[in-house]
Amino acid sequence: MANSCLQLGGFLASCLGWLGVLIATSTNDWVNICKYGLNTCKKMDQLEARGPWEECTISTGLYHCVSLTQILELPAYIQTTRALMVTGSILGFLAVMTLLMSMPCISLGKEAQSSKNKRVVLGGVLVLIVGLCSLVSTVWFPIGAHRQEGLMAFGFSLYAGWTGTVFCLLGGSLLTCCSSDTPTRSFKDDKRFYYSKQGGGNAPAASTANHAKSAHV
């Protein structure tokens, strides 16, 4: 019962973490850049939001974005963030599907519990990889933007990525460390074998006694 609750908790945490990674990957409000100081730009209502895919200009009544299509000319931190976040999103989908088929309430034919536990561990490892991809991206991107542009502030997408990273690492750790085979089945098998062996030992004695009685008569 406790193992099932831990698996369910790890699955829910993994789903929330994957959702946070998807939000961070699909949005572009990672950092807010300003060339005149953040307080001055907020008063002037002129901020620039940058993400892995677009650069947006934010001002009163204006929200204009330019896609970053020149892949070979982009800085290394943007290219790396794109690759890691897309990889994490795809692996997160595979992990969620694997964990969904490994839940205690779902049975795929006459499948042994050990096979389910192996799939749970595999799903947990995939979730941990998703968390590591998001961790590297959400840490490296603001550092690279700060070195290139200078003054900046964190955006909504970056917070979503950090939240998704925490939930992925938590869920993956629960699924990987707390999924193990229970020895109850093997104990019952040994006990059943012991009783059958004991019963088998008494049967020849009874048969011999009956044969001796028949011969005496």
Side-chain angles (χ1 to χ4, degrees):
M1 182 64 181
N3 193 21
S4 299
C5 293
L6 289 175
Q7 288 184 9
L8 181 59
F11 174 73
L12 294 177
S14 301
C15 289
L16 291 176
W18 180 51
L19 181 61
V21 172
L22 287 179
I23 293 174
T25 305
S26 59
T27 55
N28 292 286
D29 191 15
W30 283 54
V31 293
N32 296 322
I33 301 171
C34 182
K35 299 179 181 179
Y36 308 106
L38 292 177
N39 294 329
T40 304
C41 288
K42 288 180 179 180
K43 292 179 180 179
M44 298 174 59
D45 199 9
Q46 292 181 359
L47 287 174
E48 294 181 3
R50 174 174 295 180
W53 314 102
E54 293 180 340
E55 289 184 353
C56 300
T57 301
I58 306 172
S59 62
T60 304
L62 177 63
Y63 189 85
H64 178 68
C65 296
V66 177
S67 299
L68 302 176
T69 56
Q70 300 175 352
I71 299 177
L72 298 179
E73 298 180 2
L74 292 176
Y77 73 93
I78 295 181
Q79 296 182 8
T80 304
T81 299
R82 285 182 174 184
L84 289 177
M85 295 303 287
V86 171
T87 302
S89 299
I90 296 174
L91 291 180
F93 175 76
L94 297 177
V96 169
M97 291 296 102
T98 302
L99 294 173
L100 186 61
M101 293 186 296
S102 305
M103 289 293 100
C105 57
I106 297 178
S107 178
L108 300 178
K110 296 181 180 179
E111 185 180 22
Q113 184 62 34
S114 59
S115 300
K116 277 192 173 184
N117 291 335
K118 290 179 181 178
R119 281 208 307 270
V120 171
V121 174
L122 175 61
V125 172
L126 291 177
V127 172
L128 289 176
I129 295 176
V130 174
L132 292 177
C133 290
S134 179
L135 177 63
V136 174
S137 300
T138 53
V139 170
W140 193 1
F141 191 93
I143 293 177
H146 176 69
R147 290 179 177 178
Q148 184 179 6
E149 301 292 342
L151 298 174
M152 50 162 259
F154 300 145
F156 166 76
S157 303
L158 204 59
Y159 289 111
W162 284 335
T163 304
T165 298
V166 172
F167 276 107
C168 283
L169 295 179
L170 176 61
S173 300
L174 286 175
L175 294 169
T176 305
C177 300
C178 301
S179 298
S180 60
D181 294 333
T182 55
T184 305
R185 185 177 180 181
S186 61
F187 175 76
K188 289 182 179 180
D189 293 340
D190 295 339
K191 190 174 181 181
R192 188 182 301 111
F193 174 75
Y194 172 76
Y195 284 147
S196 63
K197 184 177 180 181
Q198 185 178 5
N202 292 335
S207 177
T208 304
N210 293 333
H211 179 71
K213 186 176 180 180
S214 300
H216 179 71
V217 173

